[in-house]
Amino acid sequence: GKGERASVPDTTTIQTVSKDGHWVSPYKPLDPKAPELPSKGEIKAVIPKACFERSYVHSMYFVFRDTVMAAGCAYAAYQTLSTDLPSDLLSLDALKWFVGWNTYAFWMGCILTGHWVLAHECGHGAFSPSQTFNDIWGFVMHQALLVPYFAWQYTHAKHHRR
């Protein structure tokens, strides 16, 4: 209700560790008392139709945005970080070098994950209305990420059929 505390089920009696020490989910889908989960169709039916519309402009905006961010991150690293390993590894310069390159790696990894997601959507045909356009951009982005696009597309489709 409004402003009231939600009741929390007592989980002290639920065993979540097996005899050999591995975690076990308390949810038992085959138990007749288990709550019924919504089907994929029911979930899809409540998502607004606009979320399923594919757009060349919208998709390419994300490619452009992520590419600009990656270039900006690389430029910042180029301007501020040295590729030379510091001579004294126990110095303040070495600490700055280590923190700087690890910060760069973290943020560049986050940014390039965006490219990976876009390339993944190309493989599913969700990037644009044209499969040819999807394949061209999927190939380009996968090449930049050093992943063979068409081999990945084939094996990934097999993964989804299981």
Side-chain angles (χ1 to χ4, degrees):
K2 295 180 181 177
E4 296 177 23
R5 293 188 131 222
S7 62
V8 178
D10 180 18
T11 57
T12 56
T13 59
I14 299 173
Q15 181 180 357
T16 57
V17 179
S18 67
K19 293 177 185 171
D20 59 355
H22 292 93
W23 178 83
V24 178
S25 172
Y27 178 68
K28 306 289 183 222
L30 300 179
D31 185 347
K33 296 177 189 169
E36 188 172 326
L37 299 176
S39 69
K40 287 182 187 178
E42 291 169 331
I43 293 171
K44 191 174 179 181
V46 297
I47 298 172
K49 300 290 181 238
C51 294
F52 297 101
E53 293 175 8
R54 297 172 288 175
S55 165
Y56 296 103
V57 173
H58 201 197
S59 296
M60 290 308 295
Y61 161 74
F62 287 117
V63 172
F64 176 76
R65 182 200 66 181
D66 291 356
T67 302
V68 167
M69 286 194 300
C73 190
Y75 181 75
Y78 176 75
Q79 291 296 317
T80 59
L81 298 172
S82 169
T83 57
D84 298 328
L85 189 64
S87 56
D88 182 8
L89 295 179
L90 298 176
S91 67
L92 188 57
D93 284 339
L95 179 63
K96 288 179 191 176
W97 183 88
F98 179 80
V99 169
W101 280 111
N102 278 279
T103 301
Y104 167 78
F106 173 80
W107 285 111
M108 188 60 92
C110 290
I111 293 164
L112 294 180
T113 298
H115 276 123
W116 170 254
V117 169
L118 294 169
H120 178 266
E121 293 309 306
C122 288
H124 283 289
F127 186 74
S128 79
S130 165
Q131 190 57 47
T132 302
F133 192 80
N134 290 337
D135 286 342
I136 290 168
W137 277 101
F139 180 79
V140 168
M141 288 187 285
H142 271 79
Q143 289 303 106
L145 297 169
L146 305 177
V147 176
Y149 175 67
F150 293 105
W152 171 85
Q153 187 182 40
Y154 175 76
T155 57
H156 191 64
K158 283 180 68 175
H159 145 81
H160 278 288
R161 283 194 292 264
R162 293 186 180 173

